[in-house]
Amino acid sequence: MRLAPILPAAPRNRQRWIRHLHRVLEWLAEYPGDTWEQRWLASGADAAPRAWAQQLQEQGRVTRASDGQGALSALVIARVIRPSYSFLVCTLFRDLPQRFSLFNDADLFGRMRDLASYSSQVPRLQLDAETCLVRVMIRTGKPLSAVTGDDLLAYAELVRASGRIRREHLAWELMVELGPFAAEPPTLRAMWSAKGNTRQHSTAGLIDRYGLPAGPVRDLLVDYLDEIRPDVDYSTYSHIAHHLGRLFWWSVLQINPDQKDLRLSPAVVAAWRERLAVTSRGTARTDFHGVLFTVRAFYRDIGQWALEDPARWALWAAPSPVRDSDIRAFKKDRNRVKARMQQRTRVLTGLLPTLTTTAADRKRWAHELLRTAESTPHGEEFTVDDVIYRRHDPPLNASRDRRARIWAAGPAELCNKYGVIDLSQLEGDCFWAWALIETLRLTGARIEEALELTQLSIRHYTPATTGTLVPLLHIAPSKTDIERLIPMSPELVEVLVAIQRRAKVGRASIPLSVRYDHHERLHGEPLPHLFSRPVGARHEVLSAHYVRTILNAVALAAGISDNGTPITFTPHDFRRLFTTDAVGSGLPLHIVASLLGHLDLDTTRGYTAVFPEAVIAHHQQFIAHRRALRESVEYRDATAQEWDEFEKHFLLRRVELGDCFRPYGTPCIHEHACVRCPFLRLDRAQLPRLDDMAANVRDRLDQARDKQWLGEVDALQQTLRHIHTKRRQLDPTPR
């Protein structure tokens, strides 16, 4: 009997299992099919993983739903029934991986558990890997040695489609080391790259997702995007598709559904521009000029190509709906953006020393915290930097990765919602924040270039003239597809050595990891990346979200602000700071451009205006020259009598209606007729007094008119106008 080895050895438990098995098999026998597998599918239980056992209990076939599940697990282990992946993922079988491996390929499973890459993992990750392989074996009916990479990939795709966490990486690496996947790439992510697994859409797919109707213009947009695709990265390419497909042509069709070509009427252009200026949320569009620039380039390219290939493009040549004045406005907008970036760089220059000092201090503090906690027993207190912490080890059944994590209770601002601190994660976050800040500020590299650094990026060069060893950092082609070599300072060498030591984690070399390129939507080749860390069972390059998180944490800990507004650093800020410092230190502009990988010197020249050293120096020379022309007596210290006179002058500034702000040392030009004086700053509390003065002037004006005192009438009218002007300055309400 196939089920005999699976049943319990104790007679009482054995009889109970046999009774449950008979009842489940009797239930399945009621459904059509030549095999138990066919009857299982015909019963509909495979499509109801959470309800079928409950239905058996309600029908009185089993006492408890768990009895039916136990009987099914025995049938699954004996390979009598092969449930679908959906059923296996949604059903909790008690100890299924361990029991299944006892009766199926026990020797191969034993060899897998003896591998160093298996034993070095925490129990939770070991169980995830075994569960993954057992599910593939159950569904395919294959022994472990016959499972293929395609089988595991099919299971991984189903898990991803279900929205669950991907836990197949360790299983793949174990199968490669064990032998069945020896011909496959070493990691699952490398396999995705080899299979061409990409998140890039086709040109037609990009355009069709905006709901454009089939027609000649839709085909024109596809052809145009195909033409420009080789010259731009995928991120820029998808933005152009969005601008032309959604923000331009889709909007035009909403205004004029009968539009058949690119020749737009003035009314349609005006309506489109008005529609473009506002987003769907009703706010002003920040990239308004960028969209106009894309549309203008589209029309200009069509016009140029019409001259080169009239048969294909001449039909679509038309006047551009974007005017030259829009381009001038676009340049002004770019200048405003440039001014904001330069102002931000000025602010961050003064804050950078505080940030770097805080990052180094946090790295030391977190390392000391983790080292002290590791040598402290559970429940005992320890002190770091005059702060008291308590070592806390969660129960084994609450956390299966106790060995990999060190926990402690401490200040509330550091604790999570459970009141403890993950010291292992804190130490890693502080180290990588320090390493990133130092690398970015000492190299001026883009963040994607820094994350692409590998163990092979560190080179050495010995000039024939000096014979001195010069360490160089090789920056791989990225945004501009230009590689470059950067001489490394001793500080940068120290940082990279610390990164290598940490990334190796006791190994002879840095583990391979696959980086996902968010700009190209592609997985790279497996390489020994420097900025990579263990994430579960795999080694992964730092993600963009993680980089932002740890940089913001350092800025928050540093408490840096600009006039009370908290300041955070972005990765690209360090590139601007590096360039500003290099140019300001006198390094030639073309050398700075080579270090940064700029194709155009104007790009680098934009950083030279951040701190206009020449302007400041010439202004200081002008001040010194002007002082030299004046008498030296003007620069002597004031006497006590002069100072008393100065203070007395300002004490006499207080007048009936407010304060007088005429320059020091000047006489009163209105002979104390303050209401006429532009230097008078009114006190709001004197508004009633000003109204009384206006009423008095009107009475005197009436009298002067009766007496025919025309000179007095003119003077009083001027006074009344001044009173009204002063009043409107404080209270614009008409009276």
Side-chain angles (χ1 to χ4, degrees), residues 270-307:
W272 168 68
R273 291 168 61 88
E274 182 179 355
R275 186 188 186 100
L276 178 66
V278 181
T279 66
S280 58
R281 301 186 186 93
T283 59
R285 186 178 300 279
T286 57
D287 61 340
F288 175 75
H289 291 101
V291 178
L292 293 181
F293 195 82
T294 302
V295 174
R296 179 176 183 266
F298 170 61
Y299 274 82
R300 288 174 64 92
D301 288 341
I302 295 296
Q304 180 65 33
W305 298 345
L307 299 175

Side-chain angles (χ1 to χ4, degrees), residues 302-454:
I302 295 296
Q304 180 65 33
W305 298 345
L307 299 175
E308 301 171 359
D309 188 1
R312 184 180 180 186
W313 303 104
L315 175 66
W316 300 105
S320 172
V322 182
R323 303 183 297 266
D324 290 340
S325 59
D326 295 324
I327 303 307
R328 290 192 293 270
F330 173 73
K331 292 179 180 179
K332 291 181 180 179
D333 186 64
R334 291 288 299 272
N335 290 336
R336 286 192 291 268
V337 172
K338 179 180 176 181
R340 288 198 300 270
M341 291 299 99
Q342 290 181 347
Q343 175 60 24
R344 176 176 173 82
T345 304
R346 296 186 190 100
V347 173
L348 296 184
T349 299
L351 301 177
L352 181 60
T354 303
L355 184 78
T356 55
T357 302
T358 302
D361 291 343
R362 281 173 57 85
K363 169 180 169 290
R364 176 205 59 79
W365 163 71
H367 177 74
E368 180 67 19
L369 198 59
L370 180 62
R371 185 185 63 82
T372 307
E374 287 177 339
S375 59
T376 303
H378 169 64
E380 297 292 329
E381 292 184 348
F382 61 95
T383 304
V384 174
D385 291 348
D386 299 328
V387 179
I388 299 176
Y389 302 86
R390 184 189 305 106
R391 174 69 182 269
H392 175 76
D393 292 336
L396 184 59
N397 58 0
S399 176
R400 295 179 177 175
D401 53 356
R402 283 176 53 188
R403 182 186 61 79
R405 298 287 180 183
I406 303 297
W407 301 83
E413 61 271 15
L414 298 176
C415 295
N416 59 17
K417 61 182 180 180
Y418 302 109
V420 293
I421 311 168
D422 188 344
L423 300 182
S424 304
Q425 180 178 346
L426 178 64
E427 192 275 337
D429 293 348
C430 293
F431 174 84
W432 288 118
W434 168 80
L436 267 173
I437 290 173
E438 293 297 314
T439 303
L440 292 174
R441 78 176 185 89
L442 294 174
T443 62
R446 302 178 181 91
I447 182 58
E448 59 268 20
E449 294 171 342
L451 296 181
E452 287 177 354
L453 293 177
T454 68

Side-chain angles (χ1 to χ4, degrees), residues 106-128:
D107 294 338
L108 200 56
F109 271 102
R111 287 172 48 197
M112 182 184 71
R113 295 184 181 112
D114 292 336
L115 296 175
S117 54
Y118 177 93
S119 57
S120 62
Q121 301 295 333
V122 297
R124 178 180 60 81
L125 298 177
Q126 294 173 351
L127 179 61
D128 289 341

Side-chain angles (χ1 to χ4, degrees), residues 65-328:
S66 58
D67 296 335
Q69 292 179 343
L72 177 63
S73 66
L75 296 173
V76 169
I77 294 172
R79 303 290 187 99
V80 175
I81 293 177
R82 296 186 298 122
S84 65
Y85 284 137
S86 300
F87 184 92
L88 293 172
V89 168
C90 297
T91 303
L92 179 62
F93 289 103
R94 184 176 180 83
D95 299 330
L96 178 62
Q98 294 82 355
R99 295 177 58 208
F100 187 91
S101 61
L102 289 176
F103 304 101
N104 298 277
D105 289 333
D107 294 338
L108 200 56
F109 271 102
R111 287 172 48 197
M112 182 184 71
R113 295 184 181 112
D114 292 336
L115 296 175
S117 54
Y118 177 93
S119 57
S120 62
Q121 301 295 333
V122 297
R124 178 180 60 81
L125 298 177
Q126 294 173 351
L127 179 61
D128 289 341
E130 290 191 23
T131 301
C132 170
L133 294 175
V134 165
R135 286 174 177 173
V136 173
M137 292 173 64
I138 291 172
R139 183 61 193 144
T140 61
K142 298 178 180 179
L144 185 60
S145 57
V147 172
T148 65
D150 289 337
D151 295 331
L152 190 52
L153 279 177
Y155 171 74
E157 290 300 323
L158 182 137
V159 173
R160 181 172 67 174
S162 68
R164 289 174 170 79
I165 299 176
R166 307 292 295 274
R167 294 173 176 171
E168 301 79 39
H169 297 271
L170 178 59
W172 182 280
E173 295 172 15
L174 291 174
M175 291 294 284
V176 171
E177 190 173 356
L178 196 60
F181 291 6
E184 303 288 358
T187 65
L188 183 58
R189 301 191 77 179
M191 181 63 180
W192 290 339
S193 179
K195 287 280 187 180
N197 191 311
T198 174
R199 297 183 183 178
Q200 292 186 357
H201 297 281
S202 65
T203 306
L206 283 175
I207 291 297
D208 290 340
R209 65 182 179 180
Y210 302 124
L212 297 181
V217 178
R218 178 263 181 199
D219 298 337
L220 171 67
L221 293 176
V222 173
D223 292 342
Y224 174 78
L225 291 172
D226 284 335
E227 286 289 329
I228 67 172
R229 178 67 182 94
D231 299 328
V232 295
D233 58 35
Y234 181 80
S235 178
T236 304
Y237 169 69
S238 61
H239 276 86
I240 294 175
H242 179 253
H243 288 176
L244 295 179
R246 177 65 174 82
L247 300 182
F248 173 58
W249 192 246
W250 184 86
S251 297
V252 168
L253 292 180
Q254 303 307 304
I255 300 168
N256 182 19
D258 297 329
Q259 188 72 42
K260 301 299 183 183
D261 56 16
L262 300 181
R263 193 175 298 273
L264 307 181
S265 66
V268 172
V269 172
W272 168 68
R273 291 168 61 88
E274 182 179 355
R275 186 188 186 100
L276 178 66
V278 181
T279 66
S280 58
R281 301 186 186 93
T283 59
R285 186 178 300 279
T286 57
D287 61 340
F288 175 75
H289 291 101
V291 178
L292 293 181
F293 195 82
T294 302
V295 174
R296 179 176 183 266
F298 170 61
Y299 274 82
R300 288 174 64 92
D301 288 341
I302 295 296
Q304 180 65 33
W305 298 345
L307 299 175
E308 301 171 359
D309 188 1
R312 184 180 180 186
W313 303 104
L315 175 66
W316 300 105
S320 172
V322 182
R323 303 183 297 266
D324 290 340
S325 59
D326 295 324
I327 303 307
R328 290 192 293 270

